Amino acid sequence: DTGVSQDPRHKITKRGQNVTFRCDPISEHNRLYWYRQTLGQGPEFLTYFQNEAQLEKSRLLSDRFSAERPKGSFSTLEIQRTEQGDSAMYLCASSTNQQGPPEAFFGQGTRLTVV
Amino acid sequence: GQNIDQPTEMTATEGAIVQINCTYQTSGFNGLFWYQQHAGEAPTFLSYNVLDGLEEKGRFSSFLSRSKGYSYLLLKELQMKDSASYLCAGRLTGGGNKLTFGTGTQLKVEL
């Protein structure tokens, strides 16, 4: 396994369009997280799955945002009716709740630019 | 929530030692992480502290004082490639490994 994979790496979209991003976690990891990062800031938590269950959503996640992890493997993050303020790096991370270090491993991110 | 505070920028000299401090609110605290992030890349895990004391990993060490809500990352024998953002992140009890990040400390290593 080569780590957490995200697709696409870059996305430019016009305001008002819908976009969808995909994340493939490390295969044995049952926890998956989405974060958003803007320039000069640390990542901000958006949402978190354990297997297929979405256990927590940040207040940052407006109604235009939805995330799924239908089979407990890959996840998608959709943003509807994009706004310029949605421009950011969207990071996916995964971790395991097994014994051992609890660190999350991050993907390379999807950089979204809304024009 | 959990406020994570760390300096915005630091500059140090190649070969030297630098200490990056981080303070956090102690309520519900359940672990402190340090990540390194080079520009345009993903954060990569450096260290994890859940008990008081020093954790050493090669040139990198991290310290935690739970009673003071304080941690630091110590980088020894600095190399130019250590120029990056260093992110301090806290985990809360019951948060399922969700992390709250600071803004990151941009470290510049100079000759």
Side-chain angles (χ1 to χ4, degrees):
Chain A
D1 189 276
T2 57
V4 179
S5 176
Q6 293 188 244
D7 182 71
R9 293 289 306 278
H10 304 273
K11 178 70 177 179
I12 300 175
T13 190
K14 291 183 178 179
R15 191 174 48 189
Q17 297 294 305
N18 299 343
V19 294
T20 300
F21 310 141
R22 176 179 170 123
C23 171
D24 287 90
I26 294 172
S27 57
E28 63 268 26
H29 285 181
N30 61 342
R31 291 179 173 173
L32 186 149
Y33 313 82
W34 285 99
Y35 289 85
R36 179 172 67 188
Q37 186 176 27
T38 54
L39 198 63
Q41 301 296 315
E44 294 176 296
F45 171 77
L46 294 179
T47 189
Y48 145 61
F49 292 84
Q50 180 154 310
N51 300 313
E52 66 275 9
Q54 189 174 20
L55 297 187
E56 189 172 347
K57 289 172 61 172
S58 165
R59 284 170 289 179
L60 292 174
L61 218 63
S62 75
D63 291 345
R64 297 184 297 106
F65 288 70
S66 62
E68 294 182 343
R69 194 183 183 197
K71 298 181 181 178
S73 56
F74 74 91
S75 175
T76 58
L77 177 69
E78 181 184 16
I79 309 174
Q80 296 182 328
R81 305 181 303 282
T82 52
E83 302 173 356
Q84 287 189 320
D86 298 331
S87 296
M89 175 75 85
Y90 290 84
L91 292 164
C92 177
S94 69
S95 72
T96 177
N97 65 340
Q98 302 299 318
Q99 290 296 323
E103 73 267 26
F105 295 83
F106 282 84
Q108 294 286 75
T110 295
R111 181 167 295 285
L112 173 67
T113 303
V114 181
V115 297
Chain B
Q2 186 176 52
N3 290 339
I4 306 285
D5 292 314
Q6 54 183 128
T8 306
E9 296 178 338
M10 296 183 73
T11 301
T13 305
E14 189 180 35
I17 300 172
V18 71
Q19 178 174 313
I20 303 174
N21 296 324
C22 172
T23 58
Y24 64 90
Q25 291 182 340
T26 58
S27 176
F29 171 81
N30 190 29
L32 195 291
F33 295 76
W34 284 94
Y35 280 80
Q36 180 192 61
Q37 187 176 28
H38 286 97
E41 297 185 9
T44 55
F45 171 76
L46 290 178
S47 70
Y48 166 64
N49 296 70
V50 68
L51 299 176
D52 291 350
L54 190 68
E55 294 282 339
E56 297 188 76
K57 262 187 177 183
R59 294 189 301 114
F60 291 60
S61 303
S62 58
F63 172 83
L64 179 68
S65 169
R66 289 174 295 170
S67 62
K68 295 181 180 178
Y70 168 68
S71 173
Y72 67 72
L73 180 70
L74 195 70
L75 293 77
K76 301 176 186 176
E77 301 168 13
L78 280 172
Q79 301 174 10
M80 297 297 287
K81 68 177 183 179
D82 296 329
S83 294
S85 179
Y86 291 85
L87 298 161
C88 176
R91 183 179 65 172
L92 296 177
T93 303
N97 283 357
K98 172 187 83 175
L99 298 177
T100 300
F101 284 87
T103 56
T105 298
Q106 188 66 44
L107 174 66
K108 183 177 179 182
V109 180
E110 298 180 328
L111 291 172

